[in-house]
């Protein structure tokens, strides 16, 4: 949708006209009241100033470990406590590393736990090695940074 902003920063016609067309059904949907549009951003792209002028900004802090534990339980209700704690410890350790450029997100943690469980990885093994780093980290340099290991760092686990 953001790509529909013109180079001069004008809004797409859908917002201006308060309607949009569904090509597959040849139907046009028109709002009777000005819609409220909620857009989320992870700050990876700079949003146009013309767009931002029309926005109300609300920052949501990254979840604390306690809140993250509750989030993970929704996705993995029968997760063993010891594995939960090891995963959270390693996850937040990675997020705190200063040279990791793209820190892992909540969804990547949930997916990582799923991969660990499917592979039968025990909580104790996470003390020595972090398997399936490609689920948590999406950049080669970030994976290399984590694989350096805690022995070379003062911030180790």
């Amino acid at each position: 949708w953001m790509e529909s902003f013109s180079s001069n920063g004008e809004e797409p016609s859908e917002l201006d006209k308060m309607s949009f067309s569904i090509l597959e059904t040849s139907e046009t949907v028109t709002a009777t009241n000005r819609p409220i549009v909620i857009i989320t951003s992870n700050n990876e792209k700079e949003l146009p100033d013309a767009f931002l002028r029309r926005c109300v900004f609300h920052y949501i802090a990254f979840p604390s470990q306690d809140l993250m534990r509750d989030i993970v339980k929704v996705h993995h209700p029968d997760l063993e406590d010891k594995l939960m704690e090891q995963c959270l410890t390693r996850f937040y350790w990675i997020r705190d590393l200063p040279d990791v450029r793209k820190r892992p997100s909540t969804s990547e943690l949930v997916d990582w736990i799923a991969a660990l469980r499917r592979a039968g990885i025990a909580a104790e093994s996470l003390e020595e090695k972090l398997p399936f780093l490609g689920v948590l980290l999406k950049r080669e340099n970030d994976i290399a940074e984590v694989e350096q290991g805690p022995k070379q760092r003062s911030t180790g686990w």
Side-chain angles (χ1 to χ4, degrees):
W1 178 76
M2 285 306 301
E3 282 72 27
S4 61
F5 265 84
S6 65
S7 59
N8 64 7
E10 292 182 15
E11 347 180 305
S13 61
E14 290 84 356
L15 291 179
D16 187 38
K17 294 178 184 176
M18 294 185 9
S19 69
F20 62 93
S21 297
I22 304 170
L23 297 176
E24 295 81 2
T25 63
S26 300
E27 181 183 0
T28 298
V29 177
T30 303
T32 55
N33 298 309
R34 177 140 314 267
I36 294 175
V37 179
I38 298 173
I39 297 174
T40 62
S41 170
N42 56 8
N43 291 327
E44 286 187 7
K45 274 187 164 180
E46 191 72 27
L47 299 173
D49 288 338
F51 173 75
L52 292 174
R53 278 193 299 274
R54 293 166 175 84
C55 294
V56 174
F57 181 79
H58 178 72
Y59 176 76
I60 300 172
F62 196 78
S64 66
Q65 282 200 33
D66 288 338
L67 179 54
M68 188 64 80
R69 189 175 290 104
D70 293 340
I71 293 168
V72 168
K73 284 179 184 177
V74 169
H75 297 276
H76 300 286
D78 57 343
L79 182 63
E80 164 193 334
D81 287 342
K82 192 168 185 180
L83 183 57
M84 168 80 82
E85 295 313 311
Q86 287 289 354
C87 288
L88 289 175
T89 298
R90 303 304 174 246
F91 174 76
Y92 280 96
W93 174 77
I94 290 170
R95 284 189 55 83
D96 287 341
L97 291 174
D99 294 327
V100 169
R101 212 169 132 213
K102 189 199 175 303
R103 297 181 297 175
S105 68
T106 303
S107 65
E108 289 157 340
L109 172 62
V110 169
D111 292 346
W112 185 53
I113 291 170
L116 294 172
R117 294 181 79 193
R118 284 188 195 114
I121 304 293
E124 297 77 24
S125 67
L126 295 179
E127 294 172 14
E128 298 296 321
K129 187 178 179 195
L130 297 176
F132 308 116
L133 272 177
V135 177
L136 281 174
L137 300 166
K138 307 303 179 188
R139 296 180 183 273
E140 183 179 359
N141 291 347
D142 291 345
I143 291 172
E145 181 67 23
V146 171
E147 285 178 338
Q148 268 186 323
K151 296 174 185 83
Q152 287 83 18
R153 302 184 203 290
S154 61
T155 59
W157 18 288

